[in-house]
């Protein structure tokens, strides 16, 4: 009997360790390895940036594209601009402001509290997903749009169950509750979501197979970006990696392609749409104090912004707002060359910092996003514009 008890305890211990390890493994991007982190981006391929005319229909947008560069401060933006020969699609945004990112319990926010502030308009505690300081669920702007019959979508280069995208889909007291967060996806009527996290939908403690349940709800559940890019209508669940997508060098143009795919699908809705697009891994480069990582992720995000601008400039009824949930690394641009694209970065920390982050706006209503504002003001302004 005692022997049996010891065995059970041992097995439970191993399981807990395994689980703890797998959950914490999904946050190991926060580790700085002195050897690997590259402070100097040597330069690379530079791309052409188009100037878009800013003439729009009406004062209020029919469509909203909300783009979040996780960990993207002005140094990350300018590092990218230097690397691309002094040019970025972001230059098309003439309305610029600053967002203060403090959370309810910390001068320096995490992505969960930052994401919840940007999605629901509530300051909350670090680690919270879509709940307030009392752990009470608070409706987010994507849900508000859904209620109004507006089509909605969420895209991320991390797992789609990770802090920022989860803040637009789920309500859980802790960001590491990936399986519970994935479960919340089934309680929505979201039209399209693309990101990693397939294992959180299929390899679950509760034995449910959410991929099958999504199919039963009429979603196309696809894992290959080539197949995903072909989808033009209907409901789409694009789960592109078991957990997080790899960094840009391995993942390629997944983000700009996913953005175009979502726009193709959502533009079918005559009542308009709301789309959230996250460039998640700028943050990871900041955590690792790795300028090569930061610059490549920043440029990838800027190219996705280019896809959104191409759509908005033609559509004339679309507002694009680009911001960040916080800055990561206390990054400084210490040197650079436009010609070669060389960027030398310096870092004050391996964590997030408390500085305000930029807000860029393009389209009908863009003038609302100037000056200093609190992060929670952004979804409130967007919600007011959704009123029909
Ligand atoms: Zn972070």
């Amino acid at each position: 009997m005692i022997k049996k008890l010891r065995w059970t305890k041992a097995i439970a211990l191993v399981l807990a360790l395994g689980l703890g390890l797998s959950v914490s493994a999904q946050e190991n991007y926060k580790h700085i390895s002195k050897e690997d982190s590259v402070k100097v981006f040597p330069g690379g391929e530079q791309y052409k940036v188009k100037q878009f005319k800013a003439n729009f229909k009406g004062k209020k947008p029919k469509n909203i594209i909300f783009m979040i560069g996780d960990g993207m401060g002005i140094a990350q933006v300018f590092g990218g601009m230097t690397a691309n020969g002094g040019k970025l699609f972001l230059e098309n945004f003439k309305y610029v402001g600053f967002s203060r990112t403090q959370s309810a319990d910390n001068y320096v926010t995490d992505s969960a509290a930052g994401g919840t502030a940007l999605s629901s308009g509530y300051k909350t505690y670090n680690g919270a997903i879509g709940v307030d300081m009392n752990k009470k669920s608070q409706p987010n702007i994507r849900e508000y749009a859904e209620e109004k019959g507006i089509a909605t979508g969420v895209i991320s280069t991390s797992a789609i169950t990770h802090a920022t995208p989860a803040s637009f889909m789920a309500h859980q007291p802790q960001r590491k509750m990936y399986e519970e967060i994935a479960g919340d996806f089934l309680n929505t009527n979201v039209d399209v979501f693309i990101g990693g996290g397939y294992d959180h939908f299929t390899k679950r403690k509760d034995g449910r197979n959410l991929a099958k349940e999504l199919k039963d709800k009429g979603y196309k559940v696809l894992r290959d970006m080539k197949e995903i890019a072909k989808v033009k209508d209907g409901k789409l669940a694009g789960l592109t990696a078991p957990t997080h997508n790899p960094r840009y060098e391995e993942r390629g143009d997944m983000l700009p392609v996913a953005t175009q795919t979502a726009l193709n699908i959502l533009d079918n809705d005559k009542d308009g749409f709301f789309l959230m697009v996250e460039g998640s891994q700028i943050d990871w480069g900041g955590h690792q104090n790795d300028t090569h990582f930061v610059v490549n992720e920043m440029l990838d995000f800027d190219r996705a912004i280019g896809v959104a601008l191409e759509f908005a400039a033609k559509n004339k009824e679309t507002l694009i707002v680009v911001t960040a949930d916080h800055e990561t690394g206390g990054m400084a641009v210490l040197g650079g060359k436009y010609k070669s694209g060389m960027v030398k970065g310096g870092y004050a920390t391996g964590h997030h910092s408390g500085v305000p982050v930029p807000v860029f706006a393009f389209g009908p209503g863009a003038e609302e996003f100037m000056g200093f504002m609190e992060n929670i003001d952004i979804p409130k302004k967007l919600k007011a514009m959704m009123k029909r």
Side-chain angles (χ1 to χ4, degrees), residues 101-223:
T101 65
Q102 283 57 50
S103 68
D105 69 347
N106 213 302
Y107 186 81
V108 177
T109 190
D110 79 327
S111 291
T116 301
L118 291 173
S119 71
S120 72
Y122 276 79
K123 295 268 187 187
T124 186
Y125 58 93
N126 283 8
I129 298 288
V131 298
D132 62 18
M133 283 300 277
N134 306 315
K135 297 201 168 93
K136 185 167 166 287
S137 282
Q138 291 300 340
N140 63 56
I141 192 164
R142 192 204 59 75
E143 289 161 340
Y144 179 76
E146 201 179 277
E147 274 159 35
K148 294 215 154 263
I150 295 170
T152 70
V154 172
I155 294 173
S156 175
T157 48
S158 66
I160 203 73
T161 45
H162 202 236
T164 309
S167 300
F168 288 81
M169 296 295 296
H171 304 276
Q172 296 295 335
Q174 265 314 323
R175 58 184 289 169
K176 289 188 176 162
M177 301 168 73
Y178 294 113
E179 294 188 14
E180 291 79 357
I181 288 169
D184 284 354
F185 278 58
L186 275 294
N187 308 333
T188 77
N189 204 18
V190 64
D191 295 271
V192 50
F193 62 90
I194 306 171
Y198 184 75
D199 288 2
H200 303 147
F201 289 79
T202 54
K203 293 192 182 130
R204 300 170 53 86
K205 289 191 300 294
D206 61 9
R208 284 172 69 188
N209 179 342
L210 303 184
K212 184 176 172 315
E213 293 182 32
L214 284 165
K215 275 189 195 127
D216 296 346
K217 273 189 86 177
Y219 285 84
K220 293 182 194 78
V221 180
L222 301 172
R223 307 195 58 195

Side-chain angles (χ1 to χ4, degrees), residues 29-30 70-71 110-111 175 283-284 287 325-326 328 351-352:
Y29 56 76
K30 290 185 178 165
D70 198 309
D110 79 327
S111 291
R175 58 184 289 169
D283 172 65
W284 305 1
H287 279 295
D325 50 353
H326 55 76
T328 303
H351 301 290
H352 302 165

Side-chain angles (χ1 to χ4, degrees), residues 13-154:
L13 188 65
V14 170
L15 276 178
L17 271 176
L19 191 65
L21 281 175
S22 78
V23 168
S24 64
Q26 302 192 35
E27 306 256 330
N28 62 12
Y29 56 76
K30 290 185 178 165
H31 166 66
I32 303 178
S33 64
K34 286 274 167 279
E35 307 73 52
D36 304 344
S37 67
V38 181
K39 299 291 180 291
V40 175
F41 175 77
E45 225 180 299
Q46 298 183 340
Y47 54 88
K48 267 201 145 336
V49 163
K50 206 170 149 186
Q51 298 306 319
F52 292 93
K53 276 213 190 61
N55 59 8
F56 312 112
K57 267 192 233 155
K59 289 242 165 301
K60 273 184 148 182
K62 179 181 158 201
N63 310 312
I64 292 174
I65 306 173
F66 191 18
M67 307 185 79
I68 300 173
D70 198 309
M72 183 189 79
I74 200 64
Q76 286 80 356
V77 170
F78 196 67
M81 194 178 271
T82 302
N84 196 46
K87 292 253 157 268
L88 283 182
F89 281 107
L90 264 178
E91 284 174 83
N92 280 277
F93 294 68
K94 304 308 177 200
Y95 295 93
V96 180
F98 283 104
S99 167
R100 292 155 42 140
T101 65
Q102 283 57 50
S103 68
D105 69 347
N106 213 302
Y107 186 81
V108 177
T109 190
D110 79 327
S111 291
T116 301
L118 291 173
S119 71
S120 72
Y122 276 79
K123 295 268 187 187
T124 186
Y125 58 93
N126 283 8
I129 298 288
V131 298
D132 62 18
M133 283 300 277
N134 306 315
K135 297 201 168 93
K136 185 167 166 287
S137 282
Q138 291 300 340
N140 63 56
I141 192 164
R142 192 204 59 75
E143 289 161 340
Y144 179 76
E146 201 179 277
E147 274 159 35
K148 294 215 154 263
I150 295 170
T152 70
V154 172

Side-chain angles (χ1 to χ4, degrees), residues 6 51 199 253 316:
R6 274 208 201 106
Q51 298 306 319
D199 288 2
D253 60 359
K316 298 188 187 321

